[in-house]
Amino acid sequence: MQEGMIERSHPFRQNGISLISQLQQIQQEHGWLPEPELRRLSAATGEPLIEIYRVATFYKSFSLAPRGRHRVTACCGTACHVRGSAGVTREISKLLGVKPGGTSADGRYSLETVNCLGACALAPLVVVDGEYHGNITPAGTRKLLKKITGPEAGNGAAAER
Amino acid sequence: MVNLTMNGLEIAFEKGASLLEAARFFGIEIPTLCYNEGLNPYGACRLCLVEVGAPGRSRLVSSCTYPVQPGLIVRTHSARVLKARRLLLELYLATCPSSKIIQDLASKHHVTRVRFKQKNEECILCGLCTRYCAEQMHGHAIGMVGRGAERRIGSAFNKKSEDCRLCGGCSYICPACQARCQGPDEKSAVCGACLNLAPPCLDDHDDAMCYLDPCAACEMRGER
């Protein structure tokens, strides 16, 4: 593209504010993106609120609703699917009492499914609080989740079955 | 100035302009849904696509976002372009048959059937309203929300924006908001209902020029 055309196409986008990294920071701090924080960000940077909201709703990794203290991410990509991620996801869902994409009522766990984590050699893959675990079987999920359910066992859905 | 070839004609046009602007300047008609002279080009509707490049190695690009380049060979109404445009219009008819502008464009391009599953969306995501709000009104009250099939026009947190001044520009500029005429069969995907009615004129306009485009009477007599 010629320069003139680019300038004409994006005249109000000359001063980038690194929106995504700012949103990541907010999310790291709160675990999700609360509305007052986004309004504050909009006021501080001058970026219109709708632009921030547009980016926040576009990316699946940003959440506009509160998420659980412990985050479990199950990969459902092609390689993981072929190696039985559906069974793993179902087992995790049963153990934590949370539907994929949801957060438990007590705000303790949330379970997410993603399309690929980029580590297909380790399929099926589960991420527990940012830690990657490969070659998970449905039978191995209980041991895997002990780390987050362990101290709280007996309370809530993670109780011994 | 940039020299290029458009539909076999050597033309010179201002640097930094788009192919669409050049074509319209020279009187070549290119249909658009998401383009407006007062707003930045967006390239969403794809109706303005043209063929660029030497024959055999050409490709389809949206002319509203493609800048004029020296020596570029452009064809705005080749068979390939017209075929693609008709397909696009057919898809638009399947998405949003209630729009007068889309129905008019479809009948102008002789799209008489819809082979796709019928939906009745109210929006074609052309982005005219969001651009109007941001660029002309400096409102930034509405914008695109979500992604993929869930993408829609909305306001932040689904609340009425404090920046909205109720100017009504978003519905004024919307190509889908203007409803088509409710003819005999308002549920049909292709309007063209007026073709079944008595033609408004037949023989009494020998020398007078008719500005109806498309005209039902001419259509019926097969003059188009």
Side-chain angles (χ1 to χ4, degrees):
Chain A
M1 256 198 183
Q2 283 168 1
E3 259 172 42
M5 190 88 185
I6 294 170
E7 276 157 29
R8 271 181 41 202
S9 301
H10 303 282
F12 55 90
R13 293 194 172 267
Q14 308 252 316
N15 307 313
I17 60 154
S18 322
L19 184 55
I20 289 179
S21 53
Q22 306 236 30
L23 288 178
Q24 280 171 333
Q25 256 173 39
I26 295 175
Q27 175 137 315
Q28 191 137 42
E29 206 175 306
H30 300 266
W32 59 296
L33 298 174
E35 185 181 336
E37 284 292 327
L38 297 193
R39 287 189 186 274
R40 215 169 297 148
L41 177 68
S42 166
T45 58
E47 188 75 4
L49 184 66
I50 183 69
E51 281 296 300
I52 297 173
Y53 189 71
R54 184 178 67 84
V55 174
T57 52
F58 184 86
Y59 292 103
K60 210 178 169 182
S61 54
F62 288 132
S63 173
L64 286 157
R67 290 200 290 192
R69 284 200 297 284
H70 296 292
R71 223 162 294 150
V72 182
T73 309
C75 183
C76 295
T78 312
C80 290
H81 178 77
V82 168
R83 301 198 57 179
S85 70
V88 173
T89 311
R90 212 176 308 126
E91 191 66 21
I92 297 173
S93 176
K94 211 172 6 169
L95 282 173
L96 298 180
V98 185
K99 279 197 185 115
T103 302
S104 62
D106 56 4
R108 191 167 286 151
Y109 314 110
S110 51
L111 173 61
E112 276 162 26
T113 56
V114 290
N115 291 329
C116 188
L117 289 164
C120 304
L122 299 174
L125 206 65
V126 175
V127 183
V128 180
D129 285 340
E131 210 173 295
Y132 283 59
H133 301 274
N135 298 316
I136 302 296
T137 56
T141 50
R142 179 181 292 253
K143 197 177 147 209
L144 175 71
L145 295 176
K146 212 157 230 164
K147 224 179 273 175
I148 55 171
T149 58
E152 293 160 2
N155 319 328
E160 289 294 312
R161 281 186 301 132
Chain B
M1 295 299 260
V2 179
N3 294 304
L4 64 154
T5 314
M6 192 173 275
N7 294 349
L9 294 168
E10 299 276 331
I11 60 166
F13 205 69
E14 201 184 318
K15 197 184 166 196
S18 67
L19 289 179
L20 180 68
E21 285 166 325
R24 290 206 167 159
F25 181 81
F26 288 103
I28 300 167
E29 203 184 319
I30 295 178
T32 55
L33 277 173
C34 74
Y35 179 79
N36 187 292
E37 278 172 22
L39 302 173
N40 288 314
Y42 191 58
C45 76
R46 315 310 290 178
L47 273 184
C48 69
L49 42 83
V50 296
E51 205 173 343
V52 299
R57 308 190 56 175
S58 64
R59 59 203 181 95
L60 294 177
V61 298
S62 59
S63 62
C64 68
T65 54
Y66 203 94
V68 290
Q69 278 170 1
L72 200 66
I73 301 169
V74 187
R75 275 165 295 169
T76 61
H77 284 74
S78 64
R80 190 176 163 201
V81 169
L82 291 179
K83 196 180 163 198
R85 253 178 226 160
R86 273 200 291 273
L87 181 69
L88 276 166
L89 281 167
E90 205 175 324
L91 285 161
Y92 277 119
L93 280 184
T95 316
C96 185
S98 59
S99 156
K100 174 174 163 50
I101 292 173
I102 293 173
Q103 291 286 356
D104 285 355
L105 275 176
S107 76
K108 206 168 174 177
H109 286 81
H110 307 280
V111 178
T112 49
R113 58 178 178 164
V114 175
R115 293 164 291 179
F116 304 103
K117 198 179 158 198
Q118 188 69 48
K119 286 184 182 165
N120 286 292
E121 307 275 342
E122 290 172 335
C123 178
I124 54 168
L125 295 172
C126 68
L128 271 176
C129 55
T130 62
R131 277 178 291 150
Y132 184 87
C133 191
E135 294 167 26
Q136 289 292 336
M137 300 309 294
H138 296 284
H140 295 282
I142 50 170
M144 296 284 181
V145 177
R147 176 178 186 167
E150 271 111 62
R151 196 152 174 257
R152 61 187 174 81
I153 305 284
S155 57
F157 301 101
N158 291 327
K159 292 174 185 164
K160 189 186 165 295
S161 171
E162 290 141 34
D163 302 317
C164 177
R165 276 165 276 164
L166 297 173
C167 71
C170 41
S171 49
Y172 167 74
I173 206 162
C174 175
C177 282
Q178 196 186 355
R180 75 194 236 197
C181 75
Q182 305 295 307
D185 190 6
E186 58 181 88
K187 288 280 191 296
S188 65
V190 190
C191 177
C194 41
L195 287 177
N196 303 324
L197 304 173
C201 72
L202 277 177
D203 304 308
D204 41 325
H205 291 290
D206 286 338
D207 296 322
M209 192 156 175
C210 174
Y211 291 98
L212 277 179
D213 187 22
C215 168
C218 298
E219 197 106 16
M220 282 186 80
R221 282 185 299 179
E223 281 181 12
R224 288 177 60 91

